[in-house]
Amino acid sequence: MSPRQKKRLVLVVLLLVGLSAATALALKAFNENMMFFFSPTEIKAGKAPSGQDIRLGGLVVEGSVRREVGNLTVLFDLTDNNDVITVSYNGILPDLFREGQGIIARGQLNETGGVTAVEVLAKHDENYMPPEVSDALAASEGEQS
Amino acid sequence: MIPEIGHAALILAFCFAVIQALIPLAGAQLGKTRWIHLASPVARGQLFFIGIAYCCLTYSFLVNDFSVRYVASTSNTQLPLIYKISGVWGAHEGSLLLWAFLLSAWTVVVSIFSSSIPKIMLARVISVMGMVSVGFISFMLFTSNPFIRLFPAPVDGRSLNPLLQDFGLAIHPPMLYMGYVGFSVAFAFAIAAMIDGKLDSAWARWVRPWTNIAWVFMTLGIALGSWWAYYELGWGGWWFWDPVENASLMPWLVGTALIHSLAVTEKRAAFKSWTVLLAIFSFSLSLLGTFLVRSGVLTSVHAFATDPARGVFILVFLVIVVGGSLVLFAWRATALRSVGQFSIVSRETGLLFNNVILVTMAGTVLLGTLYPLVLDALGVGKISVGPPYFNQVMLYLAVPLYTLMGLGLFLRWKKDSVSRLQSKVVIPFAMALMAGILLPLLLAPEQSGLTFIGLISASWVALAALLWLINSTQSPFKLPASTWGAVIAHIGMAVTVTGITLTSVYSHEKDVALAPDESYQVGDYDFKLISVKEIRRDNYIAYQGVVEASENGQHLVLMYPEKRTYNQSSMPMTEAAIDAGLFRDLFVALGEPLGEGSWSLRIYHKPFVRWIWLGALLMALGGLLAAMDKRYRRFKGNKEARS
């Protein structure tokens, strides 16, 4: 091997080692932080894992929003027009959160069979429905008919 | 009538674009001087007609012509003038028109500042830009025409989301587009060089200022978007790893790599094929970014099921651009032989690794952004990856990147020795270690590993840049503008990293319930809710809170957070009160009424958050200085003197 080829080889090997390390780290981080989406029906059916973050989407049931007195905890029900899951959240709800709206909650299953949310998302558009929610609604309609 | 004129002008612009894409290139291949000379006039013709189309659409917005479907769906009579003008690029169709208009304008500007470029090269460049133009204008004409009429015309248009009625957001898309479109210049030069089969340092000198300017616009556009999200969305965050944000970050990362790779191509005649590849990818990612954000694919990949024409067009367009240029690359890249050799310890190697890291960063962002979309489109499942993925990966990659940012400056071109490098970097490195460890220990209430990593990195990058400037043999004021540009841009990065680190680690964020005259303490600051009353303004009504902030018991400022409801909209909107400062922001937002006069409030104390955007401004300034370096102009002057 000429000295020039040797230099190239060293460079290429260094790059490959660096790149594979980066890829391994990225994939590991990807796997650890992947979150699956579930509809209320799927959660009721026990498809969601406990002890890890999941995303849950549905419509906020009319008249289901209730607050605890003296703190910021709020409870509400989410439905895909088939099953209902109770979500509890401690904090300020987004501007667009209201009854009848489609929203997405991120959090974990709790002992009561509901979800304790750490984040509630309602998109900033009057006519917008999170695509996961509209799909989940369509799916539950399909099952009923 | 006016919309029809606009439509006709768009069709004429399309015809000009087709001529621009074919004739000068054919002329360059066949050696027909007349055809080559057609390049500039035909580009101007295209700009003229697309300018008319753009003015017609703006006019329709100004006179509230709701018989135009696009106007009816994005504007209404109540909208203030400035948001009617910015409404033009408020949605898909108009954004495409703005894109095509800016592309055409860039082409003409390139043709004006081209006296140093051989006519045959220029003809090829302008033809390639014409091809991109053909793509965009036909996309509009065939699938997303902004001039389509609506019958019957509604009395009033749809309301523009009040969130979007904001100056920062109004100028954010054009800034970003200037960047996206600007990368098309580098792309066109790269394609032209491959057709030509020659890529020398003169070529790099033509491309560098254009790439720098595009990068400056992108930097500013991204910073504006982040700043807007911070003060307007009411969440107090400055980056959410939302696909919309990622779409602009990817071309920026690859563009940053391109800027550095171009330096090697100019100075050392190396990295030629790599530079060409980066130019192709930064532009392809710009296209991807435009389409991701504006085509509706993010809201729902299934939007394409109802309107397949758009999706198919975008896919075909991307395949032609990426596939076509890669085929050309495979065929011609061997002609671009890199003659400059370098040893393992050299500035070239430093820049090579910097490039690889930047591209890997872009790749990880791409994975996290597109993979969930692909899975969803295939119907496999709905997943998402949250900010933790991006934060984790970026941290791993950023540390070696910052290390290289400092080392690279001290490395010599071609061949250097480890011992010489050591003697140069030992002082800045020791200083950075001290600064990064002592400052948080002495000044901060608590420390975390992240504080040290972030501050050591930032001080290392900044100190290395400063010492490099001071150590250089010339007086700093005689150094070329590009040297100053590099130093300022590197320091800007350090300032941004400092801001990111300190904001992430030391921010206090709290949602609290407060009754009038109750207060809540965050760090040294005390927030007392005085009252919440209803106020009325021209186009909205609001609850306005009065919050007194005090520092260590001393009255500091009265803050007025609002919860607004705009007339056209039933949707409430949080208007946070921010007391901004160089070293900390205080941030108060109104939540909801909890009964008996008490409210939920969101209270933030964010140290050094302004540094994030201040650093971006410095980076942009650095890029601008580098683009204005005398040697790009001197070259031009010489050529003119000769001819």
Side-chain angles (χ1 to χ4, degrees):
Chain A
M1 237 190 312
S2 73
R4 180 154 181 233
Q5 281 173 320
K6 215 183 237 170
K7 258 185 291 183
R8 285 220 156 164
L9 189 69
V10 173
L11 258 187
V12 168
V13 167
L14 273 176
L15 278 178
L16 278 182
V17 168
L19 265 183
S20 17
T23 315
L25 285 173
L27 288 179
K28 183 169 159 275
F30 193 90
N31 270 330
E32 280 168 3
N33 294 298
M34 204 161 57
M35 279 179 299
F36 287 91
F37 175 88
F38 296 96
S39 67
T41 310
E42 287 168 325
I43 290 185
K44 271 275 150 64
K47 285 185 187 162
S50 58
Q52 78 186 62
D53 272 14
I54 55 164
R55 303 200 316 148
L56 159 71
L59 300 175
V60 182
V61 176
E62 300 277 351
S64 73
V65 181
R66 51 217 182 262
R67 293 188 172 281
E68 284 178 14
V69 183
N71 63 37
L72 288 176
T73 302
V74 54
L75 295 165
F76 55 88
D77 294 341
L78 275 189
T79 179
D80 55 358
N81 294 331
N82 190 19
D83 259 316
V84 174
I85 291 287
T86 302
V87 178
S88 75
Y89 175 67
N90 187 302
I92 295 174
L93 292 166
D95 284 343
L96 252 150
F97 180 94
R98 76 184 69 127
E99 294 176 351
Q101 272 274 343
I103 64 116
I104 288 182
R106 178 170 70 84
Q108 300 200 351
L109 290 181
N110 56 27
E111 326 60 81
T112 58
V115 167
T116 306
V118 289
E119 185 179 40
V120 173
L121 297 170
K123 283 278 176 164
H124 283 277
D125 184 323
E126 284 140 292
N127 306 315
Y128 176 82
M129 162 104 58
E132 289 95 339
V133 175
S134 54
D135 286 353
L137 290 176
S140 83
E141 255 168 47
E143 274 166 34
Q144 281 165 350
S145 57
Chain B
M1 188 56 199
I2 295 291
E4 277 68 35
I5 294 177
H7 195 164
L10 197 59
I11 295 173
L12 280 172
F14 178 72
C15 301
F16 271 86
V18 172
I19 299 172
Q20 183 189 328
L22 298 176
I23 303 295
L25 184 63
Q29 296 314 106
L30 305 172
K32 294 199 192 275
T33 324
R34 276 220 178 142
W35 292 10
I36 292 174
H37 283 287
L38 210 57
S40 294
V42 113
R44 273 159 226 212
Q46 198 214 131
L47 177 64
F48 177 73
F49 284 109
I50 210 150
I52 290 183
Y54 192 83
C55 291
C56 289
L57 188 62
T58 310
Y59 177 83
S60 300
F61 269 88
L62 292 181
V63 300
N64 298 315
D65 186 352
F66 297 125
S67 69
V68 177
R69 191 176 68 188
Y70 182 67
V71 179
S73 63
T74 40
S75 180
N76 66 68
T77 48
Q78 305 291 312
L79 214 56
L81 179 69
I82 173 169
Y83 300 119
K84 282 185 182 160
I85 296 172
S86 70
V88 174
W89 59 77
H92 175 71
E93 289 87 344
S95 315
L96 289 177
L97 187 58
L98 177 68
W99 223 102
F101 175 64
L102 291 176
L103 176 62
S104 190
W106 271 92
T107 315
V108 169
V109 174
V110 169
S111 78
I112 291 172
F113 293 97
S114 63
S115 48
S116 69
I117 305 172
K119 284 276 176 274
I120 204 165
M121 181 77 174
L122 184 68
R124 288 184 177 125
V125 168
I126 289 185
S127 269
V128 175
M129 294 180 81
M131 290 175 199
V132 179
S133 232
V134 168
F136 267 89
I137 301 178
S138 53
F139 189 20
M140 262 184 282
L141 288 175
F142 296 130
T143 72
S144 331
N145 193 328
F147 295 107
I148 283 181
R149 295 278 195 169
L150 190 64
F151 186 83
V155 183
D156 203 344
R158 232 192 111 217
S159 62
L160 179 69
N161 191 329
L163 267 176
L164 305 180
Q165 296 183 31
D166 177 83
F167 185 70
L169 194 71
I171 57 168
H172 158 66
M175 281 283 178
L176 263 188
Y177 284 12
M178 283 294 280
Y180 285 160
V181 177
F183 282 134
S184 75
V185 182
F187 171 75
F189 268 100
I191 300 291
M194 284 196 287
I195 298 175
D196 196 27
K198 204 173 94 209
L199 194 154
D200 49 18
S201 71
W203 178 89
R205 272 201 296 275
W206 301 324
V207 184
R208 286 189 77 184
W210 297 110
T211 314
N212 271 353
I213 298 284
W215 183 86
V216 165
F217 277 112
M218 277 216 84
T219 310
L220 290 176
I222 295 175
L224 265 175
S226 153
W227 180 54
W228 171 79
Y230 171 74
Y231 74 78
E232 188 67 24
L233 286 180
W235 291 100
W238 51 273
W239 193 263
F240 299 90
W241 295 110
D242 190 272
V244 177
E245 295 167 319
N246 296 347
S248 63
L249 185 64
M250 290 184 283
W252 186 84
L253 287 169
V254 177
T256 311
L258 174 62
I259 287 178
H260 291 89
S261 168
L262 272 169
V264 184
T265 306
E266 184 199 341
K267 301 247 157 103
R268 298 287 313 142
F271 291 13
K272 287 182 181 175
S273 327
W274 178 243
T275 299
V276 166
L277 267 186
L278 286 178
I280 292 172
F281 280 117
S282 54
F283 181 61
S284 307
L285 287 170
S286 296
L287 285 181
L288 183 73
T290 313
F291 293 144
L292 272 182
V293 173
R294 283 303 193 203
S295 63
V297 67
L298 290 178
T299 336
S300 168
V301 283
H302 308 294
F304 285 145
T306 51
D307 187 4
R310 271 187 199 181
V312 170
F313 194 103
I314 288 174
L315 283 179
V316 170
F317 193 16
L318 280 174
V319 166
I320 292 177
V321 170
V322 181
S325 9
L326 288 184
V327 166
L328 189 65
F329 181 79
W331 178 36
R332 303 286 292 184
T334 42
L336 313 173
R337 178 133 337 124
S338 293
V339 286
Q341 291 190 26
F342 54 92
S343 70
I344 301 257
V345 184
S346 64
R347 186 181 276 187
E348 285 93 327
T349 310
L351 285 169
L352 177 65
F353 278 87
N354 133 309
N355 265 243
V356 171
I357 296 174
L358 284 167
V359 171
T360 313
M361 282 179 159
T364 53
V365 176
L366 188 72
L367 175 76
T369 311
L370 285 194
Y371 187 65
L373 283 180
V374 172
L375 279 193
D376 192 13
L378 296 176
V380 182
K382 291 179 189 305
I383 63 152
S384 58
V385 282
Y389 161 71
F390 294 103
N391 289 338
Q392 222 170 315
V393 176
M394 285 295 150
L395 183 67
Y396 294 145
L397 290 169
V399 171
L401 182 71
Y402 298 144
T403 314
L404 283 172
M405 269 179 84
L407 287 180
L409 288 176
F410 290 104
L411 277 166
R412 282 185 175 157
W413 292 111
K414 198 167 180 191
K415 188 168 172 45
D416 205 341
S417 70
V418 177
S419 55
R420 200 197 71 90
L421 182 65
Q422 272 175 351
S423 68
K424 287 276 179 193
V425 302
V426 70
I427 295 175
F429 190 70
M431 284 166 74
L433 266 185
M434 283 204 314
I437 294 175
L438 287 183
L439 283 179
L441 282 179
L442 293 177
L443 298 176
E446 72 234 56
Q447 292 82 30
S448 78
L450 279 180
T451 329
F452 296 124
I453 296 177
L455 287 187
I456 292 173
S457 304
S459 2
W460 159 245
V461 169
L463 286 168
L466 277 177
L467 284 182
W468 179 63
L469 189 71
I470 294 167
N471 276 354
S472 80
T473 43
Q474 283 166 295
S475 143
F477 297 100
K478 285 187 185 153
L479 287 170
S482 61
T483 308
W484 276 95
V487 168
I488 291 177
H490 276 219
I491 291 177
M493 189 73 223
V495 170
T496 297
V497 172
T498 310
I500 292 173
T501 308
L502 295 176
T503 306
S504 315
V505 178
Y506 295 116
S507 280
H508 292 281
E509 315 188 337
K510 194 71 191 162
D511 289 353
V512 291
L514 287 184
D517 284 333
E518 256 184 344
S519 60
Y520 186 82
Q521 194 169 4
V522 172
D524 293 339
Y525 299 94
D526 217 34
F527 296 86
K528 182 162 133 191
L529 179 67
I530 293 178
S531 66
V532 179
K533 54 180 185 282
E534 233 181 293
I535 57 166
R536 277 175 187 282
R537 293 281 183 273
D538 281 347
N539 53 346
Y540 64 88
I541 51 172
Y543 289 107
Q544 188 188 55
V546 184
V547 174
E548 184 190 21
S550 36
E551 186 177 7
N552 297 324
Q554 298 277 314
H555 169 85
L556 195 66
V557 68
L558 282 178
M559 304 176 75
Y560 302 96
E562 289 180 9
K563 191 99 182 172
R564 293 178 184 172
T565 307
Y566 282 82
N567 298 345
Q568 275 80 40
S569 159
S570 52
M571 167 186 138
M573 206 179 109
T574 305
E575 194 75 15
I578 299 174
D579 182 50
L582 188 55
F583 298 108
R584 60 105 190 90
D585 273 20
L586 300 179
F587 181 111
V588 177
L590 271 185
E592 302 140 78
L594 301 172
E596 294 166 24
S598 69
W599 277 73
S600 57
L601 287 170
R602 171 166 287 149
I603 297 176
Y604 290 167
H605 167 234
K606 296 206 152 263
F608 288 84
V609 68
R610 303 266 140 188
W611 286 43
I612 296 171
W613 309 300
L614 187 70
L617 282 181
L618 284 175
M619 284 187 247
L621 177 68
L624 191 66
L625 274 178
M628 298 197 317
D629 192 273
K630 261 194 293 192
R631 74 171 178 280
Y632 304 126
R633 274 176 290 149
R634 200 192 304 138
F635 186 77
K636 182 176 144 193
N638 287 349
K639 202 67 185 222
E640 271 168 354
R642 251 183 282 148
S643 61

